[in-house]
């Protein structure tokens, strides 16, 4: 059930109708025994997306570091401490660059490290004027339909997380 909701959410969000809120680690969240390199490798992160970290607030944290400290799992001088204390942290990906995020408290050594590249949104596909005229009404109506869907799925997921 969780996986199903999540897969729907990702599939709906990926086409770039709106910004994507990535739940890091999907249904596993931000935890040990998970390979975040593998999780990230088939994904495109665009400027304007968010990363959403869900984890045990008593154990892990969310620290942005530079490349050197990412590779060495050094959490002594984070560039940004995204930890709020709730175990639910949002990292806005609002700059086109690489982001290196680790958990301190020793968990980075166990694999709690995420490196991603944030890209600019690709320009919309160019279509000939004839195609554009005939296809734009359907595109508009699909946009109107998909957007509430994204929020609806997000709301369901939020509700689910609260009871988790
Ligand atoms: C990362 O920060 C550390 C400590 O501040 C510094 O020694 C290192 O050169 C930095 N690495 C990069 C790639 O900026
Ligand atoms: C990060 O910020 C949180 C919340 O303010 C704080 O409790 C925690 O000690 C900070 N961690 C680091 C490594 O700075
Ligand atoms: C990106 O978001 C951070 C955190 O909200 C903010 O401090 C920063 O000014 C933003 N940068 C840009 C370029 O919008
Ligand atoms: C994650 O998987 C990649 C590719 O298989 C591997 O190179 C990397 O060492 C793994 N990372 C961890 C923390 O296990």
């Amino acid at each position: 059930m969780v996986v199903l909701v999540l897969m729907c959410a990702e599939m709906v969000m990926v086409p770039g109708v709106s910004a994507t809120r990535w739940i890091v680690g999907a249904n596993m969240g931000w935890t040990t025994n998970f390979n975040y390199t593998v999780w990230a490798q088939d994904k495109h992160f665009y400027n304007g997306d968010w990363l959403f970290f869900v984890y045990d607030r008593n154990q892990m944290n969310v620290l942005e570091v530079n490349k050197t400290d990412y590779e060495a799992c050094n959490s002594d001088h984070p560039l940004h401490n995204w930890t709020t204390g709730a175990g639910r942290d949002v990292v806005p990906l609002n700059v086109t660059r690489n982001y290196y995020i680790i958990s301190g408290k020793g968990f980075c050594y166990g694999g709690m490290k995420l490196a991603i590249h944030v890209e600019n949104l690709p320009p919309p596909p160019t279509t000939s004027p004839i195609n554009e005229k005939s296809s734009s009404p359907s595109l508009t109506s699909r946009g109107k339909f998909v957007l509430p869907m994204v929020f609806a799925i997000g709301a369901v997921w939020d509700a689910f997380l609260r009871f988790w």
Side-chain angles (χ1 to χ4, degrees):
M1 177 59 188
V2 181
V3 175
L4 202 73
V5 169
L6 215 71
M7 275 169 58
C8 292
E10 290 196 353
M11 276 164 66
V12 172
M13 289 176 183
V14 160
V17 177
S18 66
T20 303
R21 188 181 70 162
W22 297 98
I23 298 168
V24 175
N27 58 319
M28 292 298 292
W30 184 231
T31 187
T32 53
N33 299 316
F34 190 90
N35 190 318
Y36 293 92
T37 305
V38 171
W39 175 79
Q41 71 190 1
D42 60 346
K43 296 177 173 59
H44 287 277
F45 300 92
Y46 294 114
N47 195 335
D49 288 354
W50 299 273
L51 295 179
F52 187 45
F53 290 85
V54 179
Y55 60 97
D56 181 351
R57 63 178 178 182
N58 297 315
Q59 295 196 67
M60 294 84 177
N61 57 17
V62 178
L63 303 173
E64 186 176 341
V65 297
N66 70 17
K67 189 167 190 276
T68 313
D69 290 345
Y70 166 84
E71 282 161 1
C73 280
N74 186 340
S75 57
D76 290 344
H77 26 69
L79 301 176
H80 202 303
N81 175 8
W82 292 103
T83 317
T84 58
R88 304 271 186 280
D89 296 326
V90 174
V91 177
L93 304 175
N94 57 0
V95 181
T96 305
R97 61 172 170 88
N98 293 328
Y99 284 76
Y100 300 96
I101 293 170
I102 66 173
S103 173
K105 308 186 186 183
F107 290 108
C108 177
Y109 298 103
M112 289 185 68
K113 55 196 301 192
L114 173 67
I116 60 166
H117 177 68
V118 173
E119 315 163 41
N120 278 317
L121 263 178
T126 48
T127 48
S128 74
I130 293 163
N131 278 350
E132 208 161 60
K133 253 179 200 151
S134 61
S135 71
S136 69
S138 70
L139 269 179
T140 312
S141 60
R142 197 179 56 181
K144 276 177 187 152
F145 173 72
V146 169
L147 210 58
M149 276 277 292
V150 171
F151 288 115
I153 290 168
V156 168
W157 180 242
D158 276 343
F160 174 78
L161 283 178
R162 276 194 203 105
F163 290 103
W164 192 30

